[in-house]
Amino acid sequence: PVGRMGSAQWQRRRVEEAAAAARIAAAEREGELLRRFEDIRRQNPDVPAGALLMGLPASERPDALRALLRGAGGRQTSRIFAVSGDMLCEVDVVSDQVLPLTLSGELGPLRSVRAVQRRGTPHLLVGARDGVYLLDPEVPETAEAFEVDVGGSPFGFSNLAYDETVSVIYATHADVGLVSWQIDLGIVTIRGRDDFGGETPRQIDVSPSGTHVAAGGGLWRVGSSGKPEPVEGTEGESVCFLVGTERELILVRPSGRVTIVSRSTGKASEGTSRGDVIAVGAALPWLGDVRLAVGDSFSTSLSVLGPHDDVRTTLQHAQGPFKALAAGPDVIAGISSDRNRLVCWRPWQEQSFADLHLISRTRSRLADITVV
């Protein structure tokens, strides 16, 4: 018996040593990949990270991507905010807690939420049926309410943006169009379908290079005159979602087609498309660029794609197809198909790390989420 016990302990020690050696080898291999990629980035500072990823051998790209995602997000802790019925709340996915934030105002049920920067601090824009709230989540009771006559429409403001340079809030509404509130001057401007060639304005991007709006299958630039002008070369099928980076604007179509517009030249080109059927998406910040977390309307998995590369990673969970997505460097969050649950993944891991049943606490189905 003593010999058998000693043999079992020896075998267990051998297994533990082998596992430790494998972990060290994997870390060394990952470190070498990261060093090689950083060398490539230093030599090509103006090239998107995804395009540089294509410079590695095809067999190494998935491991390099996961290592880069983990390196970028592993030490960060994002906050998740959600809207549900009349409630705005912060969701602590680690402790499975829902923390309500009280809004003062009478703008009706909440439809959307987006993280923005105001005066150097994180703020939230919250779209409601009759207008938009702007608030600091640390002091939600000081929320500012911006109302507009929506003519009794049951819809709400679904896409939101904030231009800090001129203190202007932008929001789109299915029946009203593009509404902007100039906070300091109290001016409200409405641009309807006629201003966008008969198409309903949907997604918005604001940056120092200008304000852009996706309407129908094209992109429009709202210049200093306030008159929207179409961006040449962007016409096509409807835009599923619009993503802005420092270098470019990315239009993602339901067929998976990707159109990329350079901010510096205004020229449009085609990005990497793989025939995905896309119904929902979000931008995952990554090394000054983005990856695209996308889902369709019938399967339970999500894909994370690069507009400049052919590397695909997959996120799995039985609660799909997902109704809304949001992403930060350390988390991708999705609203389940029944809008009762919030599911979260690490961008570098296939399996989810959180699945929270929220409707028992929010009392209404989840409408939208954002990551700060």
Side-chain angles (χ1 to χ4, degrees):
V2 175
R4 286 197 297 272
M5 183 178 296
S7 176
Q9 290 174 340
W10 179 79
Q11 290 287 355
R12 187 163 54 249
R13 186 164 59 249
R14 287 287 302 274
V15 169
E16 292 171 352
E17 290 172 352
R23 287 194 296 270
I24 292 171
E28 291 175 347
R29 186 167 60 250
E30 180 177 297
E32 177 59 25
L33 280 172
L34 291 174
R35 284 190 291 272
R36 287 170 55 194
F37 190 82
E38 285 304 318
D39 287 342
I40 297 172
R41 285 190 74 200
R42 281 193 293 270
Q43 296 166 16
N44 302 273
D46 298 325
V47 179
L52 295 178
L53 193 65
M54 297 296 288
L56 297 176
S59 61
E60 295 181 357
R61 292 170 197 164
D63 287 342
L65 174 60
R66 280 189 285 270
L68 290 163
L69 288 169
R70 183 166 49 246
R75 293 185 177 89
Q76 298 199 34
T77 304
S78 296
R79 301 167 68 185
I80 298 174
F81 293 87
V83 288
S84 168
D86 294 320
M87 176 189 288
L88 167 67
C89 60
E90 181 173 1
V91 182
D92 187 328
V93 296
V94 175
S95 63
D96 190 8
Q97 290 187 332
V98 175
L99 312 171
L101 284 71
T102 301
L103 293 175
S104 57
E106 301 294 336
L107 298 182
L110 308 180
R111 312 293 195 196
S112 59
V113 59
R114 180 172 178 180
V116 299
Q117 286 287 320
R118 187 187 190 196
R119 298 168 183 163
T121 62
H123 277 60
L124 298 176
L125 283 175
V126 180
R129 184 190 59 206
D130 300 325
V132 175
Y133 296 99
L134 174 63
L135 67 139
D136 181 342
E138 303 302 327
V139 281
E141 63 275 9
T142 63
E144 300 173 76
F146 301 89
E147 190 173 5
V148 72
D149 183 5
V150 298
S153 171
F155 300 113
F157 288 91
S158 56
N159 289 276
L160 312 163
Y162 180 64
D163 187 343
E164 186 170 18
T165 60
V166 289
S167 299
V168 173
I169 296 170
Y170 293 92
T172 59
H173 189 286
D175 286 335
V176 179
L178 175 69
V179 180
S180 60
W181 290 268
Q182 192 158 14
I183 296 175
D184 296 337
L185 302 179
I187 298 173
V188 181
T189 304
I190 299 175
R191 301 174 181 89
R193 292 188 183 90
D194 291 345
D195 295 303
F196 295 92
E199 300 286 356
T200 301
R202 297 290 187 187
Q203 297 84 9
I204 315 160
D205 176 81
V206 173
S207 79
S209 67
T211 298
H212 291 83
V213 179
L219 185 69
W220 299 70
R221 186 177 188 277
V222 182
S224 56
S225 67
K227 178 178 173 54
E229 300 289 346
V231 177
E232 292 185 9
T234 62
E235 303 82 6
E237 61 180 312
S238 61
V239 177
C240 180
F241 67 103
L242 171 66
V243 176
T245 71
E246 184 178 338
R247 294 187 179 95
E248 57 203 14
L249 291 150
I250 303 169
L251 289 75
V252 183
R253 322 275 183 172
S255 67
R257 176 189 164 203
V258 175
T259 303
I260 297 174
V261 180
S262 168
R263 288 199 189 273
S264 59
T265 67
K267 292 183 178 180
S269 61
E270 292 300 303
T272 303
S273 302
R274 276 145 297 187
D276 297 88
V277 178
I278 296 175
V280 64
L284 169 64
W286 180 61
L287 301 181
D289 197 7
V290 294
R291 301 198 71 74
L292 308 173
V294 300
D296 57 37
S297 58
F298 51 86
S299 66
T300 60
S301 63
L302 299 174
S303 293
V304 184
L305 316 170
H308 298 285
D309 62 75
D310 64 2
V311 186
R312 174 197 299 267
T313 54
T314 303
L315 308 176
Q316 300 284 355
H317 200 280
Q319 294 296 332
F322 295 90
K323 297 301 185 181
L325 300 174
D330 62 319
V331 65
I332 297 173
I335 294 176
S336 63
S337 58
D338 59 8
R339 293 188 177 271
N340 293 343
R341 311 180 78 93
L342 181 69
V343 180
C344 298
W345 300 261
R346 298 302 180 197
W348 53 90
Q349 294 176 343
E350 181 177 351
Q351 301 301 322
S352 64
F353 72 90
D355 177 2
L356 312 181
H357 189 267
L358 298 185
I359 194 168
S360 59
R361 287 163 285 177
T362 60
R363 299 184 180 179
S364 296
R365 299 196 304 166
L366 297 170
D368 198 18
I369 49 176
T370 194
V371 173
V372 179

